[in-house]
Amino acid sequence: MSEATMAIAKLRTNKPNPNYRPMIFVVAPFTEVIKGDTTTIRAVRSYCRFIYQHGGIPVCPQLYLPQFINLHLSREFQTAAFINIVLLTKCDEAWSFGKPTHDMHYFIRLAKRKNKNIRYFNAETEAD
């Protein structure tokens, strides 16, 4: 059984609904997604798919927010930062993928401040 499967099973323990899926905050490079780096976008989508396939609900603001928030505008960027905090607070855990970037360190620190368990996976979704 993989690290991810065991983690999701543990989060499902004692939940009355057998279809329960825990929400997992995806920690992945934010700036590269905003810049439109297609390789990074594909990788982040694969991380979301990985979480989904193991029974979680991926929460990935780097894919979601740029659809309607202009992150190049200071005021909207500040709103996005607040939304990130709210989304992270609602999640059961945070999972970090690949080598942490500056952006990712911010989310990791935030998750720690919110007392969220953080799991680390390499870019190939293997537990680090």
Side-chain angles (χ1 to χ4, degrees):
M1 188 179 292
S2 75
E3 170 84 21
T5 302
M6 289 187 298
I8 296 292
K10 183 177 177 184
L11 292 170
R12 285 180 164 170
T13 302
N14 298 323
K15 301 293 184 204
N17 182 344
N19 299 314
Y20 174 78
R21 285 179 168 259
M23 291 174 54
I24 308 296
F25 190 89
V26 178
V27 179
F30 207 102
T31 303
E32 296 307 312
V33 172
I34 293 169
K35 288 179 183 175
D37 180 329
T38 56
T39 302
T40 302
I41 292 169
R42 275 194 301 273
V44 173
R45 285 180 180 152
S46 74
Y47 305 149
C48 292
R49 179 85 182 152
F50 173 78
I51 290 169
Y52 166 75
Q53 287 176 321
H54 283 87
I57 298 172
V59 175
C60 189
Q62 49 276 64
L63 293 179
Y64 172 66
L65 295 180
Q67 302 302 311
F68 59 90
I69 293 179
N70 183 344
L71 296 167
H72 299 287
L73 298 177
S74 179
R75 195 169 112 216
E76 291 194 24
F77 182 85
Q78 294 303 318
T79 301
F82 176 75
I83 292 169
N84 287 324
I85 293 168
V86 171
L87 291 172
L88 177 61
T89 302
K90 303 292 182 188
C91 290
D92 295 283
E93 289 189 346
W95 290 12
S96 178
F97 294 90
K99 183 178 181 204
T101 63
H102 177 73
D103 302 338
M104 293 168 67
H105 284 295
Y106 166 78
F107 287 111
I108 291 167
R109 284 192 307 275
L110 182 59
K112 287 178 181 177
R113 281 199 311 265
K114 298 292 180 182
N115 296 314
K116 299 295 177 182
N117 188 44
I118 305 166
R119 296 186 189 278
Y120 296 89
F121 297 87
N122 63 23
E124 290 75 38
T125 65
E126 299 162 339
D128 272 352

